[in-house]
Amino acid sequence: DALILSPLTNECLVSAVNTAIESDIPIVNANCEYIAAADTFVGASQIEIGHIAADYIADKLGGSGKVAIIEGVAGTFTSIQRVNGFKEQVEAKYPDIEIIASVPADYEMEKGMNVATDILTQNSDVDAIYGCNDNMALGAVEALRAADKLGEVIVTGVDGTGDAYKSIHAGELTATVDQFMDKNGVAAVDVAFRLLAGQDIPRVVETPIAVIDENNAADYNK
């Protein structure tokens, strides 16, 4: 009766969505990538994720330092928004923070490790790494471990995965921006039922995000 879709890219489900629309099936676009024809998007603001990651790293650095970005899949909505949000926040608020690299690693841990290794080789004085998902951020943690620099460089990821929480508890990963996917899923189902009931639902229903680090990780059951 309704579809909740979380596509890998903005375009990959276009034909399926068009078929569903022709059959008057409500479509809820959940999580990250954007479906233009969906009735409602339910999820976190990806650009806001970039903003609060920048604020967190800037606070940890005291407003000054060198930061590298590990991007997701080049050209995808989520990666673009997370990167642009970070960059625009740094440009607007933190003139003494320099972004020294911004390189894609396709959301993969091994590629994140390789990219971070290259960044560390070329910029031994990097102060922080912002990974646009936890897999890549955890890859950066491994690169720092191999370089004997674990704990010397701030590493912040995105998504709030169980492995990210474990790494934070272990004193390795500095932080993650959690999207609370369980809450995202509950909200998406609720919106789907409301659409089926004929209720007027906003085009965008935002779900919560928060920075998780050693100070508050124990407050969440992950």
Side-chain angles (χ1 to χ4, degrees):
D1 297 306
L3 290 173
I4 300 173
L5 304 177
S6 181
L8 289 173
T9 69
N10 292 2
E11 295 81 21
C12 68
L13 293 180
V14 169
S15 61
V17 166
N18 289 338
T19 300
I21 290 171
E22 290 172 3
S23 300
D24 294 323
I25 297 173
I27 298 167
V28 178
N29 178 186
N31 194 13
C32 300
E33 298 301 322
Y34 184 74
I35 300 172
D39 294 281
T40 300
F41 173 84
V42 179
S45 167
Q46 300 303 305
I47 203 160
E48 182 62 17
I49 284 172
H51 290 166
I52 69 170
D55 287 337
Y56 178 82
I57 288 174
D59 181 65
K60 296 289 285 186
L61 292 178
S64 176
K66 296 183 177 182
V67 181
I69 300 172
I70 304 180
E71 305 173 10
V73 176
T76 57
F77 175 82
T78 299
S79 182
I80 290 169
Q81 292 289 93
R82 291 178 183 180
V83 171
N84 286 352
F86 189 91
K87 288 180 176 179
E88 71 181 23
Q89 193 79 339
V90 168
E91 183 177 346
K93 294 178 63 177
Y94 307 109
D96 294 325
I97 288 181
E98 179 186 0
I99 296 175
I100 58 171
S102 189
V103 183
D106 299 339
Y107 293 128
E108 297 178 18
M109 184 174 180
E110 185 175 355
K111 289 183 179 180
M113 181 177 65
N114 293 338
V115 166
T117 298
D118 291 342
I119 289 169
L120 291 167
T121 300
Q122 297 168 24
N123 304 275
S124 60
D125 57 347
V126 64
D127 298 299
I129 295 173
Y130 165 51
C132 286
N133 84 339
D134 287 334
N135 286 342
M136 299 184 298
L138 292 171
V141 166
E142 293 308 310
L144 288 166
R145 194 193 311 278
D148 199 25
K149 288 191 173 185
L150 194 60
E152 297 178 16
V153 178
I154 295 162
V155 183
T156 299
V158 177
D159 286 333
T161 65
D163 286 341
Y165 272 75
K166 289 177 185 177
S167 187
I168 291 169
H169 286 306
E172 300 170 343
L173 182 66
T174 311
T176 180
V177 182
D178 198 338
Q179 297 191 84
F180 305 108
M181 299 312 300
D182 52 344
K183 293 180 174 60
N184 190 168
V186 169
V189 173
D190 184 60
V191 166
F193 278 117
R194 288 173 181 271
L195 288 169
L196 286 169
Q199 294 183 16
D200 187 16
I201 303 295
R203 180 67 183 88
V204 175
V205 176
E206 285 197 25
T207 53
I209 53 176
V211 176
I212 308 298
D213 64 8
E214 62 181 0
N215 297 310
N216 62 351
D219 297 336
Y220 298 90
N221 186 26
K222 287 196 178 181

